[in-house]
Amino acid sequence: MQASLACAAKIGAGSPCSTRWGGVGSTRSAAATALRLPPLAAALPVSGGTRTSSSSSKLFLGWEGAIQQQPSQQARSKRIVRAEAYEADADHEPAAKAPPQLNRLKIGIYFVTWWALNVVFNIYNKKVLNAYPYPWLTSTLSLAAGSALMLASWATGLVAPPDTDLAFWKALLPVALAHTIGHVAATVSMSKVAVSFTHIIKSAEPAFSVVIQRLFLGETFPLSVYLSLVPIIGGCGLAALTELNFNMTGFMGAMISNVAFVFRNIFSKKGMKAGKAVGGLNYYACLSIMSLLLLTPFAIAMEGPQLWVSGWQNAVHNVGPHFIWWVVAQSVFYHLYNQVSYMSLDEISPLTFSIGNTMKRVSVIVSSIIIFRTPVQLINGVGAAIAILGTFLYSQAKH
């Protein structure tokens, strides 16, 4: 052992060293020995020129054998380079995020697509309901179109099918039930009143959200959240009282839709944590399929095939063949706008989503008033503006 330490001293002085370890003759260059010897020499305890334990002896002999197996100086250099590269890899910084300008552009595209699809859906939905006043079947066709699109996408490989389990479908059931009730209630509302009025009442959803979460979940909110509900409730009330085409069925449909969608959002938070993780695209597809299964028997019971057939014949006779296009458009665009909204949740913050949802209602209300030439009194417009402003303030205070 003392010989090996003496050899190390020679190497430090820049001289080559030749010695014998364990009865095996080995000559090492200064660079090769310097690479391996100092750490081991420091690690091995020495007492009176002998190794102090059998474990130290085994470690020493194992180290000596490893040196004998080194093929060449070039190979050792390559190993050193690889070791350094591995260490650099372990400490590397994460990939740089996308530039803020690109991120803003992506969010802008999501919002424009979301709003545009929603506006188109509401226009065609109202046209269909004006000519064909069967909201239960209309709601069913919307879910059927979305389910068919996603099943075809999975079958053709355009979209990878979700990897689900029983826990996922159990957690999805209450979400689908609430979604079905909210969807049908909103469609019933739009079959009775103007699109703008339905969406003004639906802008009161935050107020229902706060009350339901407080009563059923025991959640508390800052004072600013409660204060933001004042203009929401006041604006919706003012708009409802001054609505020229007020209808109680339409009003109650919008109110029930608010309650159902609040429960849907609450159940969605719990449901998306249960079972296997499913992205926004496939999550809404599974939701549509289950909602379709829940809704179909109730739609048959509420309206029935006889009314659907006779109503369809009257609509085609009064509107013309392009009525079929209206039905297809409202069904497909309903799925697409909801699909984009669920996909948006994977990319943007809840606050950004809330602001986008608020502005979506503004775009729907304004476009529907223009396209359908809905008569609006000044006081009615003021009430709608106050309600929308309250919704915006709520999104700011909540997040």
Side-chain angles (χ1 to χ4, degrees):
M1 183 65 188
Q2 289 178 347
S4 63
L5 294 176
C7 185
K10 290 182 180 182
I11 292 171
S15 305
C17 176
S18 176
T19 186
R20 299 180 63 85
W21 293 324
V24 179
S26 300
T27 302
R28 295 290 178 266
S29 67
T33 311
L35 175 66
R36 299 287 183 177
L37 184 56
L40 186 61
L44 293 176
V46 179
S47 176
T50 60
R51 290 181 290 274
T52 57
S53 67
S54 59
S55 61
S56 299
S57 175
K58 291 177 182 179
L59 178 63
F60 186 86
L61 291 175
W63 171 77
E64 186 272 336
I67 290 181
Q68 287 186 344
Q69 293 173 4
Q70 298 294 324
S72 67
Q73 179 69 21
Q74 183 178 4
R76 287 194 301 274
S77 300
K78 290 182 178 178
R79 281 196 184 88
I80 296 171
V81 171
R82 283 200 298 271
E84 290 175 351
Y86 174 81
E87 299 225 359
D89 238 7
D91 298 330
H92 80 285
E93 294 292 332
K97 295 182 178 179
Q101 297 85 353
L102 185 61
N103 192 46
R104 285 195 293 268
L105 176 62
K106 181 174 67 174
I107 293 174
I109 293 174
Y110 272 121
F111 277 8
V112 171
T113 305
W114 179 15
W115 298 341
L117 293 173
N118 189 260
V119 168
V120 173
F121 158 71
N122 278 278
I123 291 172
Y124 279 107
N125 191 45
K126 184 59 178 176
K127 285 185 174 183
V128 169
L129 292 171
N130 285 341
Y132 188 70
Y134 297 100
W136 286 83
L137 177 60
T138 304
S139 302
T140 305
L141 292 176
S142 301
L143 296 173
S147 301
L149 285 173
M150 289 310 301
L151 289 173
S153 299
W154 293 338
T156 58
L158 185 63
V159 176
D163 182 15
T164 61
D165 54 13
L166 184 59
F168 170 81
W169 291 103
K170 285 183 178 179
L172 187 65
L173 179 59
V175 182
L177 180 61
H179 178 71
T180 303
I181 295 172
H183 175 41
V184 173
T187 308
V188 169
S189 176
M190 281 190 278
S191 69
K192 300 295 183 181
V193 296
V195 175
S196 56
F197 179 71
T198 297
H199 279 272
I200 291 171
I201 302 303
K202 283 176 64 65
S203 65
E205 185 177 322
F208 288 88
S209 177
V210 170
V211 172
I212 290 173
Q213 291 185 71
R214 182 70 180 90
L215 294 178
F216 291 90
L217 302 179
E219 294 189 16
T220 57
F221 300 92
L223 179 61
S224 57
V225 171
Y226 293 107
L227 292 177
S228 70
L229 301 182
V230 175
I232 294 176
I233 297 173
C236 289
L238 185 62
L241 290 174
T242 57
E243 173 64 30
L244 297 177
N245 299 313
F246 180 84
N247 178 279
M248 183 56 71
T249 302
F251 175 76
M252 291 305 300
M255 296 289 279
I256 293 172
S257 177
N258 282 334
V259 175
F261 283 142
V262 168
F263 278 108
R264 181 194 67 178
N265 296 338
I266 293 173
F267 293 145
S268 292
K269 290 181 180 179
K270 296 180 179 180
M272 295 186 80
K273 295 178 182 178
K276 298 186 177 182
V278 176
L281 180 69
N282 283 328
Y283 186 87
Y284 183 72
C286 296
L287 181 61
S288 295
I289 294 172
M290 182 169 282
S291 294
L292 176 63
L293 296 176
L294 293 173
L295 178 57
T296 301
F298 287 96
I300 295 173
M302 293 296 296
E303 294 172 347
Q306 291 183 347
L307 292 177
W308 294 342
V309 172
S310 61
W312 185 275
Q313 293 173 349
N314 292 333
V316 173
H317 179 267
N318 295 330
V319 176
H322 57 276
F323 169 75
I324 300 174
W325 159 247
W326 290 1
V327 175
V328 173
Q330 75 89 22
S331 301
V332 172
F333 280 102
Y334 172 80
H335 175 78
L336 292 178
Y337 103 77
N338 278 286
Q339 193 84 82
V340 173
S341 70
Y342 267 80
M343 292 171 63
S344 299
L345 284 172
D346 290 341
E347 302 292 337
I348 59 181
S349 67
L351 174 58
T352 306
F353 185 84
S354 298
I355 295 173
N357 199 40
T358 303
M359 300 309 296
K360 177 204 74 174
R361 297 209 187 281
V362 174
S363 63
V364 171
I365 291 171
V366 173
S367 62
S368 64
I369 290 174
I370 294 174
I371 292 174
F372 294 107
R373 300 178 181 178
T374 306
V376 179
Q377 293 181 328
L378 177 61
I379 191 67
N380 186 262
V382 170
I386 293 174
I388 295 298
L389 176 62
T391 305
F392 176 78
L393 295 176
Y394 166 82
S395 65
Q396 297 287 327
K398 181 93 184 311
H399 300 286

